[in-house]
Amino acid sequence: MTVQDIIQWFENYPFLIIGYFTILIFISLLGLAMVNRRNFKSPITLLYSLLVYAVTIPGLLALIITAYSFLFLKTNLLEINILAYFVPIIAMIIVLFIINKTVPMHLIPGFGKLSGLFVIIAITFIITYVLQKMFFGVFFVGRIQYLLLFFLALLFILRIAWKKITK
């Protein structure tokens, strides 16, 4: 099964994407109405952490796939499925905005590690794109495996560097 097969499966069952992100937006709106800084204690903090991860991981993956399709594959963004590519990104932005209105993000357990992951992936993606556009791009023509392997190696190196910087 390839990533394209997974995207095609979600395109065939759009109610799963709409239902999943509707529930997450509804939970965040419910939290906006009921939670404040004074009652933001143990079970609620875990729920918010779970909510942040539940919306951010698919949103980040959709963002990476959309950027990869646009920058590397030169896919026309007008021809791709809105539900599979853009709904997770939009839902991520909406839920994180609502959560930030409820409580500051630094109070949510694990959000610092998640934002660090965002930064590392963004830097790795930019470096990979720049190197692919340079002379090194000759090695990647037609072989996505080499580009993916390079991306993972660069991600690993940046992760080690990030740990050394933040110590």
Side-chain angles (χ1 to χ4, degrees):
M1 179 175 256
T2 64
V3 174
Q4 186 62 38
D5 292 337
I6 295 171
I7 292 171
Q8 188 66 36
W9 186 80
F10 279 120
E11 288 176 359
N12 292 337
Y13 300 102
F15 60 88
L16 290 175
I17 294 175
I18 294 172
Y20 178 76
F21 289 112
T22 302
I23 290 170
L24 292 178
I25 291 172
F26 178 74
I27 291 171
S28 65
L29 286 173
L30 190 64
L32 180 64
M34 298 176 66
V35 176
N36 56 29
R37 287 184 86 152
R38 285 174 282 153
N39 65 357
F40 193 66
K41 296 195 177 20
S42 181
I44 297 173
T45 58
L46 295 176
L47 176 70
Y48 265 75
S49 181
L50 181 68
L51 183 64
V52 165
Y53 278 96
V55 74
T56 306
I57 291 172
L60 182 62
L61 289 174
L63 187 65
I64 290 170
I65 289 172
T66 303
Y68 177 78
S69 297
F70 179 66
L71 297 174
F72 290 98
L73 299 179
K74 304 290 187 217
T75 304
N76 186 355
L77 291 179
L78 298 175
E79 296 176 358
I80 60 176
N81 188 346
I82 292 174
L83 289 176
Y85 285 87
F86 296 119
V87 168
I89 298 169
I90 294 168
M92 178 181 68
I93 292 168
I94 291 170
V95 169
L96 291 178
F97 179 76
I98 293 170
I99 289 173
N100 195 30
K101 287 289 186 184
T102 307
V103 292
M105 292 300 237
H106 66 85
L107 295 178
I108 298 173
F111 186 74
K113 294 181 187 251
L114 191 62
S115 61
L117 179 67
F118 269 123
V119 170
I120 288 174
I121 288 177
I123 291 170
T124 305
F125 198 82
I126 290 167
I127 291 171
T128 305
Y129 179 71
V130 168
L131 289 177
Q132 193 264 345
K133 287 297 180 183
M134 296 171 84
F135 176 73
F136 301 109
V138 173
F139 299 115
F140 298 129
V141 175
R143 291 283 182 176
I144 186 68
Q145 294 89 358
Y146 296 141
L147 186 62
L148 184 62
L149 185 65
F150 177 75
F151 177 79
L152 291 175
L154 191 58
L155 184 67
F156 180 71
I157 291 168
L158 281 174
R159 177 74 175 141
I160 292 170
W162 183 267
K163 282 185 180 180
K164 290 192 183 276
I165 289 171
T166 56
K167 280 188 177 182

